[in-house]
């Protein structure tokens, strides 16, 4: 009887193993249709020729990448020199996204730790409160932020009212406003993965470190942080990547002086530029940067798993 049951269980497991590939078909279909196909289209478009009124001419060309990387002068007949305009935009985007990630980490880590150390019944309520901003569309939240920061907005009125400043602070169309917009938009992406990691953390390890006379800072640096490192890395990736390609916060809060990669790409497809191949080329370069970041993340995760095993 037992042997029969065992053979029956083995046959059931084999059946599930054989059908596992079929179960993944819907997911593969969605990925191919909505992820791989658009990426392939962007890759093809990046090698086509610009049509004057927008769109493309189906003639193979490297002109978009040449325009991105090379400055050939006003008439386009000079030797290739580095196109610093786009390098500056990419560098500004990386800097803004990195700063937003760092700020989110500084605020998000203590927040996640606080939530994870609450009584078990209270934690869902705190997670619920963290996700409340996502009930409102990102565009509305960004416009609301602009209203809050404007010269005659509530924040300047409050600072003037308490006598901290004598005249309104010009906060809109500054790097500060862009930073605040990115931080506000993506902070929950930092809190939630760190919270999940801290919740699984064995706090007996911290108690053991304290019994061995380790200071709180030493326990944090050498016990807690290594244990929750995957959650921290995941949070940094989830904030940095969307911040890098964001265009709402730079457009609405940063003005023309704070152009970022997302704004540059949007301008090529929707604005007056109408250069689809160039926008596609910029998208592919941005995608390459993101893939490099994800590969570094995957390598860090692999090292962490090997360290644990």
């Amino acid at each position: 009887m037992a042997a029969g049951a065992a053979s029956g269980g083995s046959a059931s497991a084999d059946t599930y193993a054989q059908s596992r590939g079929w179960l993944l078909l819907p997911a593969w279909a969605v990925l191919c249709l909505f992820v791989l196909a658009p990426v392939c289209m962007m890759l093809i478009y990046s090698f086509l020729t610009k049509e004057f009124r927008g769109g493309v001419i189906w003639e193979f060309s490297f002109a978009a990448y040449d325009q991105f990387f090379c400055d050939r002068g006003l008439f386009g007949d000079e030797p290739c020199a580095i196109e610093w305009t786009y390098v500056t935009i990419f560098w500004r985007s990386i800097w803004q996204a990195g700063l937003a990630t760092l700020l989110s980490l500084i605020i998000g880590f203590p927040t996640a730790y606080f939530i994870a150390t609450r009584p078990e019944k209270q934690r869902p309520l705190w997670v619920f409160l963290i996700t409340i901003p996502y009930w409102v569309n990102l565009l509305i939240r960004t416009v609301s932020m602009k209203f809050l920061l404007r010269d005659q907005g509530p924040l300047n009125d409050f600072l003037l009212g308490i006598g901290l400043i004598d005249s309104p602070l010009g906060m809109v169309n500054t790097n500060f406003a862009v930073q605040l917009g990115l931080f506000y938009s993506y902070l929950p992406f930092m809190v939630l993965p760190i919270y999940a990691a801290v919740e699984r953390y064995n706090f007996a390890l911290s108690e053991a470190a304290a019994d061995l006379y380790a200071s709180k800072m030493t326990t944090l640096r050498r016990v807690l942080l290594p244990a929750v490192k995957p959650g921290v890395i995941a949070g940094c990736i989830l904030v940095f990547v969307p911040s890098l390609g964001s265009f709402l916060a730079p457009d609405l809060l940063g003005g023309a002086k704070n152009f970022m990669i997302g704004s540059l790409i949007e301008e090529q497809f929707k604005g007056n530029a109408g250069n689809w191949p160039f926008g596609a080329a910029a998208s592919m370069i941005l995608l390459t940067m993101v893939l490099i970041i994800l590969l570094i993340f995957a390598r860090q995760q692999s090292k962490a798993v090997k360290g644990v095993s």
Side-chain angles (χ1 to χ4, degrees):
M1 180 72 73
S7 63
S10 176
S12 178
D14 290 343
T15 302
Y16 281 116
Q18 290 172 2
S19 61
R20 194 173 300 160
W22 293 101
L23 294 174
L24 288 175
L25 274 181
W28 277 112
V30 171
L31 283 174
C32 291
L33 188 60
F34 296 110
V35 179
L36 293 180
V39 170
C40 291
M41 286 179 61
M42 284 296 103
L43 181 62
I44 295 171
Y45 271 48
S46 70
F47 288 106
L48 297 180
T49 302
K50 171 190 175 184
E51 208 279 332
F52 181 70
R53 292 170 294 182
V56 295
I57 300 173
W58 287 84
E59 294 178 0
F60 186 80
S61 170
F62 287 101
Y65 290 96
D66 184 77
Q67 180 184 349
F68 194 94
F69 291 110
C70 290
D71 179 7
R72 296 185 182 277
L74 182 61
F75 300 102
D77 55 355
E78 298 178 11
C80 177
I82 297 176
E83 178 52 89
W84 290 106
T85 303
Y86 303 123
V87 172
T88 303
I89 291 174
F90 262 69
W91 170 245
R92 183 187 302 126
S93 302
I94 294 170
W95 168 253
Q96 295 275 27
L99 207 55
T101 305
L102 179 62
L103 188 59
S104 298
L105 179 61
I106 292 172
I107 303 296
F109 189 91
T111 305
Y113 186 88
F114 173 81
I115 297 173
T117 52
R118 295 306 91 194
E120 194 169 348
K121 289 184 179 178
Q122 295 182 12
R123 294 174 199 167
L125 174 63
W126 287 103
V127 173
F128 169 75
L129 293 175
I130 288 291
T131 57
I132 280 182
Y134 281 82
W135 295 10
V136 181
N137 183 275
L138 178 60
L139 174 62
I140 297 174
R141 281 185 280 144
T142 308
V143 172
S144 301
M145 181 67 71
K146 186 172 184 177
F147 172 79
L148 182 69
L149 298 178
R150 65 194 180 117
D151 290 356
Q152 292 77 34
L155 184 57
N156 267 316
D157 288 346
F158 172 74
L159 295 176
L160 287 168
I162 62 174
L164 195 62
I165 57 176
D166 297 326
S167 59
L169 297 174
M171 290 181 280
V172 177
N173 296 336
T174 64
N175 284 328
F176 168 75
V178 176
Q179 279 301 314
L180 197 60
L182 294 175
F183 164 75
Y184 172 69
S185 299
Y186 301 114
L187 176 63
F189 289 172
M190 181 68 77
V191 173
L192 295 178
I194 296 178
Y195 161 70
V198 176
E199 192 183 35
R200 293 193 299 269
Y201 173 67
N202 185 0
F203 285 92
L205 296 174
S206 296
E207 294 173 4
D211 290 342
L212 295 173
Y213 302 105
S215 64
K216 290 184 178 179
M217 187 56 68
T218 302
T219 304
L220 171 68
R221 186 168 53 86
R222 304 194 64 173
V223 180
L224 177 60
L225 282 179
V228 302
K229 185 179 175 182
V232 173
I233 294 175
C236 291
I237 293 290
L238 290 175
V239 174
F240 182 79
V241 171
S243 297
L244 194 60
S246 176
F247 64 90
L248 272 179
D251 280 1
L252 295 177
L253 300 174
K257 292 181 180 178
N258 294 281
F259 218 55
M260 290 177 63
I261 301 173
S263 307
L264 175 68
I265 295 172
E266 186 207 16
E267 181 72 17
Q268 305 308 313
F269 288 99
K270 295 176 64 179
N272 297 324
N275 192 343
W276 289 17
F278 182 73
S283 301
M284 296 312 300
I285 293 168
L286 175 62
L287 177 63
T288 304
M289 290 174 55
V290 171
L291 285 177
I292 291 172
I293 293 168
L294 292 178
L295 285 174
I296 294 172
F297 167 68
R299 189 174 179 181
Q300 290 289 334
Q301 288 285 68
S302 177
K303 286 182 178 178
V305 170
K306 288 180 180 177
V308 171
S309 62

